Amino acid sequence: MHISNFRPVKRVVDVVRPFARIRKDVPSILVMVGDGPVRGEAENEAHTLGVESDVHFLGRIESVAPLLASADLFFLMSDRESFGLSALEALACGVPAFGYNVGGLPEVVRDGVTGYLRPVGDVEGSAAAAVSLLLDPTRLAAMRTAAAADARARFSLNAVVAQYEALYRSVTG
């Protein structure tokens, strides 16, 4: 699954490309949620790679948690990302997140524990990690559990408020 506003920075074509590779080894569908100026590029890439029948563009959806809960993996392949809220939402639903090692994503995704981070443009590395994980149900289950637990532990309301309070105390003395 992928959720975004389909702007160039989101590199949505880089979501379709690993999916095409994954699909060769693991029967899969790709759900793309959102809309924006580069949606057509992703649709064209799906057609070019011959996977368009297994890529579903749902457009904008307000409540994504039920969809996320049904996903096996989440892909956010941005080349710049201030935080990666959609990746955190996926992790909170117990869905391992895949992305590029940029911006705030390394703060959200613990590489090899709650998902995988690769250098920008490493579509093949992302696909290989995804295939390996999907073909290992025990490791996938462990990563799903770790994703949900880590999201709750590090990003719950209580944890975040405590961090802000500590910051304010350190600044105000």
Side-chain angles (χ1 to χ4, degrees):
M1 180 170 290
H2 171 80
I3 301 170
S4 79
N5 54 17
F6 287 66
R7 292 180 299 124
V9 69
K10 299 299 181 180
R11 296 177 66 112
V12 293
V13 168
D14 282 12
V15 175
V16 176
R17 289 176 179 154
F19 168 72
R21 164 69 172 78
I22 292 164
R23 190 173 156 271
K24 290 179 182 177
D25 295 320
V26 181
S28 307
I29 62 165
L30 174 60
V31 176
M32 303 281 281
V33 179
D35 206 356
V38 296
R39 175 177 170 166
E41 291 176 27
E43 291 171 332
N44 289 341
E45 188 69 9
H47 177 73
T48 298
L49 295 173
V51 296
E52 70 272 15
S53 64
D54 291 323
V55 180
H56 303 280
F57 292 87
L58 303 184
R60 291 187 178 138
I61 295 178
E62 291 299 318
S63 180
V64 296
L67 283 173
L68 279 170
S70 69
D72 291 313
L73 306 176
F74 181 79
F75 282 79
L76 182 63
M77 310 306 275
S78 306
D79 60 24
R80 292 180 306 280
E81 193 69 48
S82 61
F83 180 71
L85 182 59
S86 61
L88 177 56
E89 291 170 332
L91 296 174
C93 290
V95 180
F98 286 68
Y100 291 144
N101 193 13
V102 296
L105 275 179
E107 180 182 344
V108 176
V109 179
R110 294 176 54 213
D111 188 38
V113 178
T114 64
Y116 289 96
L117 299 172
R118 296 292 179 257
V120 173
D122 187 4
V123 171
E124 186 56 37
S126 297
V131 168
S132 174
L133 184 61
L134 289 169
L135 292 176
D136 187 341
T138 302
R139 193 165 54 114
L140 177 59
M143 190 170 279
R144 291 179 69 92
T145 299
D150 188 60
R152 281 192 306 274
R154 293 192 305 131
F155 298 101
S156 69
L157 180 60
N158 290 340
V160 172
V161 168
Q163 290 174 10
Y164 274 114
E165 288 173 344
L167 175 65
Y168 292 147
R169 277 194 297 279
S170 73
V171 171
T172 62

